[in-house]
Amino acid sequence: MTDGPCCAPIAREPLGEADAAELATLLKAVADPVRLRLLSMIGSHAGGEACVCDLTDAFDLTAPTISHHLKVLRTAGLIDGERRGTWVYYRIIPKQVARLGALFTPLAEPVSA
Amino acid sequence: MTDGPCCAPIAREPLGEADAAELATLLKAVADPVRLRLLSMIGSHAGGEACVCDLTDAFDLTAPTISHHLKVLRTAGLIDGERRGTWVYYRIIPKQVARLGALFTPLAEPVSA
């Protein structure tokens, strides 16, 4: 590693089987264009939360399809939803998003082997 | 967003369709337990590079299966390989790994809407 940022936690020590399986599940939840867009729409919405009605309107997809994708994100612990009146309102769970970031973010100080 | 780190780039503004599609492809490349382990083994290996022979020995998988996973990582631009003599030696491309990290890493300074 002679150039570029060094070393993200993923490159600090070999991942064990159990950790790798759990992280792969979390990554699969975000490895989809619609779910990435949903996540960014929810997180960037005024007040940090978005009504399912706003989300569905933004896509050329059926409501059940959007619901499926929201469920995947929710099951992965990346978003949480709360019903208020007619609609469910979603917000990001920052801790789980930050976990993904930490895996791939280089340390400021390179770690020697 | 009243608690926890705020706001990862993914939550700063809605992702466009093209960006979301490209990032989903990159995330799919890492959303697999074997590929996560390969990435961490390559990055944490002495000298920052690992021989395909070392990688194959660490898994209970056939050489063609390991080769397939390495090819997925290479096609995604996450690793590079160089043949020297009998073996191919792989190293991480830090810039592409850091790109994933940046997507999910909260900013130190919260961004106001």
Side-chain angles (χ1 to χ4, degrees), chain A:
Chain A
M1 304 241 191
T2 49
D3 64 341
C6 168
C7 308
I10 186 122
R12 227 182 297 157
E13 57 180 328
L15 269 176
E17 268 190 71
D19 284 345
E22 201 226 326
L23 287 164
T25 303
L26 189 56
L27 285 163
K28 273 180 190 141
V30 291
D32 176 277
V34 174
R35 293 200 289 274
L36 280 174
R37 289 180 66 204
L38 283 170
L39 210 51
S40 72
M41 287 168 75
I42 293 166
S44 62
H45 208 269
E49 67 172 20
C51 168
V52 68
C53 52
D54 297 322
L55 301 171
T56 306
D57 285 353
F59 291 88
D60 194 16
L61 296 167
T62 65
T65 299
I66 297 295
S67 287
H68 159 75
H69 286 300
L70 288 168
K71 193 179 171 187
V72 173
L73 291 172
R74 197 170 176 167
T75 303
L78 289 158
I79 60 170
D80 202 3
E82 189 192 353
R83 178 173 290 279
R84 293 204 296 275
T86 310
W87 304 109
V88 179
Y89 292 80
Y90 291 96
R91 55 175 54 239
I92 277 185
I93 302 178
K95 196 177 158 189
Q96 194 76 318
V97 173
R99 233 182 116 207
L100 283 179
L103 184 63
F104 297 110
T105 300
L107 301 171
E109 298 285 308
V111 172
S112 306

Side-chain angles (χ1 to χ4, degrees), chain B residues 77-96:
Chain B
L78 290 157
I79 60 170
D80 201 2
E82 187 191 356
R83 179 174 289 278
R84 291 203 298 275
T86 310
W87 303 111
V88 179
Y89 293 79
Y90 290 95
R91 55 175 55 238
I92 278 185
I93 301 178
K95 196 177 157 188
Q96 193 76 318

Side-chain angles (χ1 to χ4, degrees), chain B residues 24-39:
Chain B
T25 303
L26 189 57
L27 286 163
K28 271 179 191 144
V30 291
D32 176 277
V34 174
R35 293 201 287 275
L36 280 174
R37 289 180 65 203
L38 283 169
L39 209 53

Side-chain angles (χ1 to χ4, degrees), chain A residues 94 97-98 101-102, chain B residues 5-9 101-109:
Chain A
V97 173
Chain B
C6 167
C7 308
L103 184 65
F104 297 110
T105 301
L107 301 170
E109 298 285 307

